[in-house]
């Protein structure tokens, strides 16, 4: 019995995994090879314990890390050396160790310890050669015949490098990624459906981040190569990755909005109980919206930088296939034969007959416009406001591109765009505005009209309104310059613009204290002047021009009140004097029309003994009195300030990238590499 008792004073040592013990030996400062000559060979045979390695780093002080520099440099070098090993299990273990080492040091850097990251990690003298070797291995893994797990881990490692600092332009490691640019290796993943399905989102995310590295301070090779990319298959693959993300959001939220709400006491009770969870639901919605920021930014960079991407934006795809990144052919493959298609179609023929749905073609722009109609329904939170602003910036870039305008107005390139409308008290709940297939410019105009009508609020999102009205102006400028007669219900646009003008006048006392509403009103009147001066060259029918004058006369009091407001501010020495003067001058033609036709209508009313004129009677008076109307010709009505990211939007994009960096850094997940199936895949590959 006594022999089994533990001696007094002996403390049982906690059992540790061998790899954890090796990390401790490494970070105790001595040469680990001295006590174990096979230290480095054994280390990469063992599955890394990432949390343990990062924990060792986090417990070190700045001085301790400086003292451990030689061991850390050696660890980095041995990891890079192991990437050339023939056994992929060792390669994956080395990459995981690199991910853990780099991430641990980055986190330590956030604590303002002031040590030089590259010197501690690699050593200045060896940094250039080691990083070139490392990135060559990464490119080889992405382009070569390697398993999906290794490609995925390589992309995760690149994302760890790219997301180390909150300000991407201060990440000095990325200088080596621009010297040894791996754009081609990463972008090629998008040309094959299999690799695009597996790795497309991470590949697009990485390229988007690298494009934003010191983008205004240097010639960034990622920016240059993205702007010059002309491979249609790759561009379509890039677009499909974005489409997949936005489509998932659209399906999820359109299904939510389409749920029957019912009526009666039970529906009221359900609504009351449901309202208790509104804040939780809004938080979830914001998370989903933020998750799309990176893909929207990737879409923005492609639209802004690469004119060839416009074709991918509007290329029709078959919606009968799932909206996923796999929805294009691989390079070098051919479509299924007629017999194969027949067999596949035969299996699902019964389902198709039961559904009896009419399949409409779609594309990335259709998906994006539907997405916009959903996210713009709520702009109360900072996340959703920024997301909508980014959407409107993208639409602005699209609307001022001549080639894209050509496609938007092409009568032979028509699509049905489901635009969702915000439930409001003054109109029936319409889940979506479905119409027949039309040119895409009609959907863009519908979207802008819907935004104006649903966002007139005391806390007016002025910048979004300026963007919205600016998009409309750009489309009209294209139509005027090219005499394009778009078949569109212009009354809806005029009604929205007049309603906005009325809202500004009604809420002037509140709004004018906080923002320059005169600038918005001036832009709004520019659109009316464009219609008045040049409408006969681009309105679809002569009667449309008559209807414009009818709307001006019908709502003449709104314009008179707007004039009175602008005149009042233009005569005082306030902040908005200059803007108010511009608005006053801009109202000249509208007031000439009102002053010209008002006595004509009064005279006709007296002669015919009619107190209230019908629309047809007003239109008759308008048509008979055009010749005696004299208008002034305003200069530069079809001119607009070209979009420029810098300086106006530079801070917005910097903050957007900062937010994406933070979310991506937290979202990089290595748990999949603990799976036994991964080890099986690697052993078979080896």
């Amino acid at each position: 019995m006594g022999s089994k008792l533990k001696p007094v004073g002996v403390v049982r040592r906690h059992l540790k995994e061998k790899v954890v013990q090796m990390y401790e030996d490494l970070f105790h400062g001595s040469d680990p090879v001295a006590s174990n000559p096979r230290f480095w060979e054994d280390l990469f045979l063992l599955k890394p314990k990432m949390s343990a390695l990062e924990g060792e780093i986090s417990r070190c002080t700045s001085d301790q890390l400086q003292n451990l520099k030689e061991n850390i440099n050696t660890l980095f070098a041995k990891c890079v050396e192991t990437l050339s090993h023939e056994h992929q299990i060792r390669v994956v273990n080395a990459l995981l160790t690199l991910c853990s080492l780099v991430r641990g040091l980055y986190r330590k850097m956030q604590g303002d310890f002031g040590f030089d990251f590259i010197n501690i990690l690699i050593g200045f003298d060896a940094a250039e050669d080691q990083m070139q070797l490392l990135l060559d291995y990464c490119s080889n893994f992405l382009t070569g015949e390697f398993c999906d797990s290794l490609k995925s881990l390589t992309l995760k490692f690149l994302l760890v490098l790219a997301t180390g600092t909150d300000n991407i332009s201060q990440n000095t490691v990325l200088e080596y990624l621009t010297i040894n640019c791996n754009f081609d290796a990463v972008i090629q993943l998008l040309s094959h459906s299999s690799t695009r399905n597996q790795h497309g989102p991470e590949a697009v995310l990485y390229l988007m981040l690298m494009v934003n590295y010191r983008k205004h301070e240097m010639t960034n090779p990622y920016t240059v190569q993205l702007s010059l990319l002309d491979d249609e298959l790759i561009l379509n693959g890039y677009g499909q990755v974005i489409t997949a993300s936005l489509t998932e959001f659209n399906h999820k939220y359109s299904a939510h909005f389409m749920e029957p709400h019912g009526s009666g006491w039970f529906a009221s009770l359900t609504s009351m109980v449901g309202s208790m969870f509104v804040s939780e639901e809004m938080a979830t919605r914001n998370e989903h919206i933020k998750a799309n920021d990176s893909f929207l930014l990737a879409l923005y960079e492609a639209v802004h930088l690469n004119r060839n991407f416009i074709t991918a934006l509007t290329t029709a795809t078959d919606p009968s296939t799932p909206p996923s990144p796999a929805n294009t052919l691989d390079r070098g493959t051919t479509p299924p034969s007629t017999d194969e298609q027949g067999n596949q179609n035969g299996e699902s023929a019964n389902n198709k007959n039961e559904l009896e749905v009419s399949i409409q073609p779609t594309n990335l722009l259709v998906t994006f416009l539907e997405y916009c109609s959903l996210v713009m329904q709520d702009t109360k939170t900072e996340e959703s406001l920024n997301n909508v602003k980014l959407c409107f910036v993208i639409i602005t870039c699209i609307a001022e591109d001549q080639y894209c305008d050509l496609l938007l107005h092409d009568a032979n390139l028509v699509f049905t765009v489901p635009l969702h409308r915000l439930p409001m008290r003054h109109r029936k709940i319409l889940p979506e505005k479905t119409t027949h297939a039309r040119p895409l410019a009609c959907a863009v105009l519908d979207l802008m009209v819907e935004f104006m009508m649903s966002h007139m609020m005391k806390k007016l999102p002025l910048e979004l309104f300026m963007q919205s009205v600016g998009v409309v102006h750009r489309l009209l400028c294209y139509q005027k310059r090219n005499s394009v007669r778009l078949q569109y219900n212009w009354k809806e646009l005029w009604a929205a613009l007049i309603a906005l003008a009325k809202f500004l006048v009604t809420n002037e006392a509140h709004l004018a204290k906080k923002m320059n509403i005169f600038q918005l009103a001036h832009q709004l009147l520019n659109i009316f002047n464009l219609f008045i001066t040049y409408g006969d060259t681009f309105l679809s029918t002569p009667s449309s021009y008559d209807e414009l004058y009818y709307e001006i006369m019908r709502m003449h009091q709104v314009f008179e009140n707007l004039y009175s407001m602008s005149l009042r501010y233009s005569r005082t020495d306030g902040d908005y004097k200059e803007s108010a003067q511009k608005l006053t001058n801009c109202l000249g033609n509208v007031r000439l029309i009102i002053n010209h036709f008002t006595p004509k209508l009064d005279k006709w009313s007296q002669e015919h003994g009619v107190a209230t004129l019908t629309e047809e009677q007003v239109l008759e008076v308008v048509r008979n009195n055009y010749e005696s109307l004299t208008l002034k010709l305003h200069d530069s009505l079809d001119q607009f300030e070209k979009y420029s990211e810098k300086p106006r939007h530079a801070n917005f994009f910097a903050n957007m990238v900062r937010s994406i960096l933070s979310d991506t850094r937290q979202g990089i997940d290595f748990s999949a590499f603990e799976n036994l199936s991964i080890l099986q895949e690697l052993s078979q590959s080896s």
Side-chain angles (χ1 to χ4, degrees):
M1 288 288 293
S3 61
K4 294 182 181 180
L5 293 175
K6 186 171 66 175
V8 178
V10 175
V11 179
R12 177 181 293 173
R13 183 175 179 178
H14 291 292
L15 293 175
K16 294 181 182 177
E17 294 180 47
K18 183 177 180 180
V19 71
V20 175
Q21 185 64 53
M22 295 177 82
Y23 293 154
E24 290 181 356
D25 294 342
L26 192 63
F27 279 84
H28 284 168
S30 58
D31 182 3
V33 178
S35 57
N36 180 7
R38 290 183 50 84
F39 180 88
W40 297 114
E41 292 179 28
D42 294 346
L43 181 64
F44 299 114
L45 273 176
L46 301 171
K47 186 173 72 173
K49 189 81 171 177
M50 300 182 73
S51 59
L53 179 54
E54 291 171 35
E56 288 292 334
I57 296 171
S58 69
R59 285 189 287 273
C60 292
T61 65
S62 178
D63 290 339
Q64 287 173 332
L65 283 172
Q66 289 287 354
N67 295 331
L68 288 167
K69 173 183 172 301
E70 186 175 342
N71 277 6
I72 294 173
N73 290 172
T74 305
L75 175 60
F76 184 91
K78 290 295 182 180
C79 286
V80 173
E81 181 184 318
T82 307
L83 296 181
S84 64
H85 203 281
E86 60 181 359
H87 293 294
Q88 290 192 20
I89 290 179
R90 284 180 178 269
V91 172
V92 166
N93 287 342
L95 257 183
L96 284 169
T97 304
L98 277 172
C99 290
S100 185
L101 177 62
V102 172
R103 190 164 66 171
L105 285 174
Y106 269 138
R107 285 176 179 167
K108 200 64 176 175
M109 232 175 94
Q110 303 297 321
D112 296 326
F113 279 84
F115 61 85
D116 192 302
F117 181 85
I118 293 172
N119 195 33
I120 294 290
L121 178 64
I122 316 171
F124 280 133
D125 296 338
E128 191 169 332
D129 292 338
Q130 286 287 343
M131 285 301 295
Q132 181 178 350
L133 194 59
L134 170 61
L135 294 171
D136 284 346
Y137 284 132
C138 289
S139 296
N140 185 40
F141 296 151
L142 294 175
T143 57
E145 296 294 326
F146 294 93
C147 64
D148 283 334
S149 298
L150 184 53
K151 292 180 187 291
S152 174
L153 181 55
T154 301
L155 284 170
K156 289 182 188 296
F157 173 63
L158 292 174
L159 285 173
V160 168
L161 289 176
T163 60
T165 58
D166 289 336
N167 184 338
I168 193 168
S169 296
Q170 293 177 355
N171 189 343
T172 51
V173 174
L174 300 190
E175 201 66 33
Y176 296 100
L177 272 71
T178 60
I179 296 170
N180 305 284
C181 179
N182 53 13
F183 179 91
D184 288 335
V186 177
I187 203 75
Q188 287 299 325
L189 293 171
L190 305 179
S191 64
H192 297 272
S193 61
S194 57
T195 53
R196 185 170 60 251
N197 251 344
Q198 291 285 334
H199 316 296
E202 288 180 329
V204 169
L205 174 58
Y206 169 73
L207 293 175
M208 180 275 295
L209 291 174
M210 290 307 301
V211 164
N212 281 277
Y213 173 67
R214 297 181 62 194
K215 65 191 303 186
H216 300 302
E217 305 165 28
M218 61 175 282
T219 303
N220 183 327
Y222 292 87
T223 303
V224 173
Q225 292 199 46
L226 180 59
S227 66
L228 296 176
L229 186 64
D230 59 359
D231 187 312
E232 187 176 341
L233 194 60
I234 292 177
L235 289 171
N236 283 336
Y238 187 101
Q240 291 246 355
V241 172
I242 299 168
T243 302
S245 175
L246 301 186
T247 299
E248 182 182 358
F249 181 94
N250 292 350
H251 285 176
K252 187 179 298 180
Y253 282 91
S254 60
H256 173 74
F257 291 131
M258 289 286 282
E259 287 176 1
H261 295 280
S263 58
W265 69 269
F266 183 74
S268 301
L269 177 63
T270 305
S271 176
M272 180 182 70
V273 174
S275 66
M276 300 175 186
F277 303 97
V278 166
S279 59
E280 183 179 341
E281 184 179 328
M282 286 302 298
T284 304
R285 182 180 186 274
N286 288 336
E287 286 177 13
H288 289 150
I289 287 174
K290 280 191 73 178
N292 283 311
D293 282 349
S294 57
F295 295 103
L296 285 179
L297 194 52
L299 175 59
Y300 163 76
E301 297 295 356
V303 169
H304 184 223
L305 295 172
N306 191 318
R307 292 203 69 195
N308 300 314
F309 187 72
I310 299 302
T311 305
L313 194 66
T314 55
T315 297
T317 57
D318 182 3
S320 61
T321 55
S324 72
N327 193 15
T328 55
L329 291 173
D330 290 348
R331 188 184 303 282
T333 61
T334 56
S337 66
T338 308
D339 293 338
E340 290 171 341
Q341 288 179 340
N343 292 336
Q344 293 169 1
N345 292 340
E347 293 174 4
S348 58
N350 294 333
N351 293 335
K352 288 185 178 181
N353 290 335
E354 288 174 8
L355 290 173
E356 294 183 350
V357 291
S358 148
I359 296 175
Q360 298 288 341
T362 186
N363 60 29
L364 172 53
L365 186 54
V366 170
T367 304
F368 171 62
L369 292 175
E370 181 183 2
Y371 173 84
C372 292
S373 73
L374 285 167
V375 295
M376 75 181 192
Q377 292 186 11
D378 172 40
T379 56
K380 294 183 179 67
T381 65
E382 186 180 358
E383 292 88 355
S384 57
L385 188 69
N386 289 336
N387 195 272
V388 176
K389 178 179 176 179
L390 181 54
C391 288
F392 281 13
V393 167
I394 294 169
I395 298 174
T396 300
C397 293
I398 291 170
E400 67 179 36
D401 182 276
Q402 289 290 305
Y403 178 55
C404 196
D405 279 330
L406 176 66
L407 296 175
L408 290 179
H409 292 84
D410 189 343
N412 297 314
L413 192 67
V414 295
F415 294 89
T416 300
V417 183
L419 296 180
H420 303 262
R421 305 179 73 194
L422 183 67
M424 300 175 73
R425 282 179 295 179
H426 64 273
R427 68 182 182 191
K428 294 179 181 178
I429 296 177
L430 298 172
E432 61 181 51
K433 183 174 181 178
T434 52
T435 61
H436 58 281
R438 300 177 298 166
L440 286 165
C442 296
V444 176
L445 289 169
D446 281 345
L447 186 70
M448 298 300 105
V449 167
E450 173 61 19
F451 175 80
M452 293 181 212
M453 293 301 293
S454 59
H455 286 77
M456 286 179 266
M457 54 188 75
K458 289 291 181 73
K459 194 176 179 181
L460 190 74
L462 181 66
E463 186 176 11
L464 295 183
F465 268 96
M466 290 295 295
Q467 288 178 306
S468 177
V469 174
V471 167
V472 173
H473 185 226
R474 283 162 171 77
L475 293 179
L476 293 177
C477 288
Y478 172 82
Q479 293 168 26
K480 179 260 177 185
R481 292 170 188 167
N482 298 276
S483 300
V484 176
R485 297 186 184 276
L486 183 69
Q487 296 295 322
Y488 184 73
N489 183 6
W490 295 108
K491 275 188 175 181
E492 290 188 3
L493 174 61
W494 299 331
L497 293 172
I498 292 171
L500 177 56
K502 182 178 180 181
F503 176 82
L504 294 178
V505 172
T506 305
N507 297 278
E508 164 247 324
H510 169 74
L511 294 173
K513 294 176 182 177
K514 300 181 177 182
M515 61 191 75
N516 187 352
I517 58 175
F518 302 96
Q519 190 178 8
L520 175 59
H522 177 257
Q523 181 78 330
L524 183 154
L525 262 296
N526 266 348
I527 291 176
F528 272 107
N529 281 323
L530 197 58
F531 277 111
I532 292 167
T533 310
Y534 302 108
D536 58 330
T537 65
F538 64 85
L539 284 171
S540 51
T541 61
S543 61
S544 296
Y545 195 71
D546 303 334
E547 290 166 357
L548 169 66
Y549 279 70
Y550 170 77
E551 290 299 323
I552 291 173
M553 293 306 302
R554 187 173 70 88
M555 304 299 291
H556 68 92
Q557 194 59 53
V558 173
F559 295 104
E560 292 290 4
N561 292 342
L562 192 63
Y563 177 77
S564 299
M565 182 184 78
S566 65
L567 195 64
R568 180 160 35 88
Y569 278 84
S570 65
R571 290 175 175 173
T572 60
D573 292 326
D575 294 336
Y576 308 134
K577 180 177 182 178
E578 186 178 347
S579 297
Q581 287 174 340
K582 288 181 179 179
L583 176 58
T584 304
N585 296 332
C586 199
L587 279 158
N589 276 343
V590 173
R591 298 189 69 247
L592 284 173
I593 291 170
I594 294 171
N595 293 336
H596 174 77
F597 285 106
T598 299
K600 308 289 184 186
L601 291 169
D602 291 342
K603 181 181 178 182
W604 195 96
S605 179
Q606 290 175 1
E607 289 176 353
H608 294 79
V610 179
T612 305
L613 277 65
T614 64
E615 181 177 346
E616 279 304 317
Q617 291 168 339
V618 173
L619 288 171
E620 181 185 344
V621 174
V622 167
R623 292 188 192 102
N624 293 334
N625 289 277
Y626 274 135
E627 292 184 3
S628 55
L629 173 64
T630 304
L631 298 173
K632 295 178 180 178
L633 187 63
H634 288 272
D635 294 329
S636 305
L637 287 176
D638 61 346
Q639 302 295 318
F640 52 83
E641 183 183 352
K642 281 279 189 181
Y643 169 79
S644 176
E645 181 179 316
K646 191 180 180 183
R648 182 179 298 178
H649 301 285
N651 285 337
F652 168 75
F653 282 104
N655 291 332
M656 179 69 74
V657 172
R658 185 185 294 265
S659 173
I660 293 170
L661 280 170
S662 176
D663 292 342
T664 304
R665 187 190 308 130
Q666 295 172 26
I668 299 175
D669 183 16
F670 295 98
S671 60
F673 294 92
E674 298 175 2
N675 198 324
L676 290 176
S677 62
I678 298 283
L679 293 175
Q680 271 188 329
E681 180 189 2
L682 293 170
S683 60
Q684 289 169 2
S685 301
S686 300

